[in-house]
Amino acid sequence: MLPQPQPLGIYPLPAGYLVLPPGPSTEALLPQLLRGELPTTWPPSLQFYAHALAGEADAALAALPTDSSPITTYNHFVLTGDAQDYTQLRPQVTGELAILLDLVAYTLNSIAAPPDERAVAGIDGVVRAVAFATQAT
């Protein structure tokens, strides 16, 4: 389960598909981000997101955490479109992160179709909304 809520689809890509990691800094900024308001200063754990919002993909990549968690690997895929990230991560994830991973892969033309209604069954909230919006396009 992803930390909820997430500001998915609120901001332009690639930031609009990035997942914020759990933690106190994320919890503190989420209400502001969900209102579409950007902070004047960003905590170190969210610098990658600030760079992505500014269109600085290389800086966003450099600021990503160095762990190999599914969220970090997913965010790396969002920022690079590297098919190896998708191939590595897809068998390891289920639920919301799997839906988001497939949505990004579809958006990047790495897979032929977005997750269908059957795949989204049981998924709630913003991930479900983003999945249905992608299906509608």
Side-chain angles (χ1 to χ4, degrees):
M1 183 69 113
L2 297 177
Q4 293 289 338
Q6 287 284 329
L8 299 168
I10 294 176
Y11 299 103
L13 299 179
Y17 275 151
L18 291 172
V19 170
L20 300 180
S25 297
T26 297
E27 290 176 22
L29 283 181
L30 268 176
Q32 185 177 355
L33 292 171
L34 291 170
R35 289 190 306 267
E37 299 169 2
L38 301 179
T40 55
T41 58
W42 291 85
S45 64
L46 297 178
Q47 285 296 313
F48 76 95
Y49 197 77
H51 289 300
L53 285 168
E56 302 164 350
D58 290 339
L61 282 168
L64 273 177
T66 56
D67 64 69
S68 60
S69 71
I71 289 177
T72 298
T73 305
Y74 165 82
N75 284 336
H76 190 272
F77 177 62
V78 170
L79 292 168
T80 66
D82 185 345
Q84 184 176 354
D85 286 337
Y86 179 80
T87 302
Q88 171 192 347
L89 188 56
R90 188 59 187 93
Q92 299 176 24
V93 296
T94 60
E96 295 169 326
L97 196 56
I99 297 297
L100 288 173
L101 186 65
D102 287 346
L103 288 173
V104 173
Y106 172 72
T107 301
L108 296 173
N109 294 317
S110 296
I111 61 174
D116 60 21
E117 196 168 317
R118 187 181 63 232
V120 179
I123 303 296
D124 291 320
V126 68
V127 173
R128 184 178 181 91
V130 170
F132 285 148
T134 303
Q135 289 172 9
T137 58

